[in-house]
């Protein structure tokens, strides 16, 4: 089955708590080193954190500075910007099955395709789903 997932661009603070927790579990060393850049529908270059669930593909809109601040202000991360071990275990128990098979190692992540364009995502503050119109995926 080759179904195409809806793609959503959304700010981190507008995501549901369970999605934020899953993102922390997927990126336990912080977000800033994992941001990608793409051109939005207005032709502006935007940075975002990619995150995939079973039913959606998220681009979590944030700058490097915002990514660092989110981690600094979050009590789930320690002073070095690393997800605390107890929190990591709690989220792994809570979401383990949902994230199984979706982990991306640093080696895999380094070759991440960051060639996103206007047709791939909608850059809107609303939780708008965007269908993939082209067959290049």
């Amino acid at each position: 089955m080759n179904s195409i997932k809806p793609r959503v661009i959304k700010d981190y603070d507008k995501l549901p708590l369970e999605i934020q927790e899953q993102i922390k579990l997927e990126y336990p060393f912080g977000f800033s080193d994992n941001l990608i850049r793409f051109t939005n529908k207005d032709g502006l270059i935007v940075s975002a954190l990619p995150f995939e669930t079973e039913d959606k593909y998220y681009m979590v809109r944030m700058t490097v500075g915002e990514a660092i601040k989110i981690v600094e202000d979050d009590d789930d991360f320690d002073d070095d910007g690393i997800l605390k071990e107890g929190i990591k275990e709690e989220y792994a128990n809570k979401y383990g099955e949902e994230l199984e098979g979706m982990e991306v190692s640093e080696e895999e992540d380094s070759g991440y395709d960051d060639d996103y364009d206007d047709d791939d995502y909608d850059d809107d503050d609303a939780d708008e789903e965007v269908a993939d119109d082209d067959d290049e995926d």
Side-chain angles (χ1 to χ4, degrees), residues 114-125:
D114 62 356
D115 183 24
Y116 294 99
D117 59 28
D118 191 25
D119 296 330
D120 290 337
Y121 296 94
D122 186 21
D123 187 23
D124 196 287
D125 285 331

Side-chain angles (χ1 to χ4, degrees), residues 23-91:
I23 289 172
K24 292 177 200 177
L25 189 57
E26 185 161 332
Y27 297 103
F29 301 105
F31 310 143
S32 61
D33 290 338
N34 297 290
L35 297 179
I36 60 152
R37 293 170 15 140
F38 64 97
T39 304
N40 70 8
K41 66 180 179 181
D42 298 323
L44 301 173
I45 296 176
V46 177
S47 61
L49 184 69
F51 180 71
E52 186 173 357
T53 64
E54 193 172 301
D55 58 339
K56 289 184 183 177
Y57 189 83
Y58 290 92
M59 293 300 292
V60 184
R61 188 175 30 214
M62 64 179 75
T63 64
V64 171
E66 290 168 336
I68 292 168
K69 180 122 177 79
I70 289 168
V71 170
E72 285 176 350
D73 293 347
D74 192 326
D75 292 335
D76 289 350
F77 289 92
D78 65 18
D79 292 339
D80 295 323
I82 299 171
L83 190 63
K84 294 176 182 173
E85 198 58 40
I87 299 295
K88 189 186 301 185
E89 290 173 15
E90 176 187 336
Y91 292 168

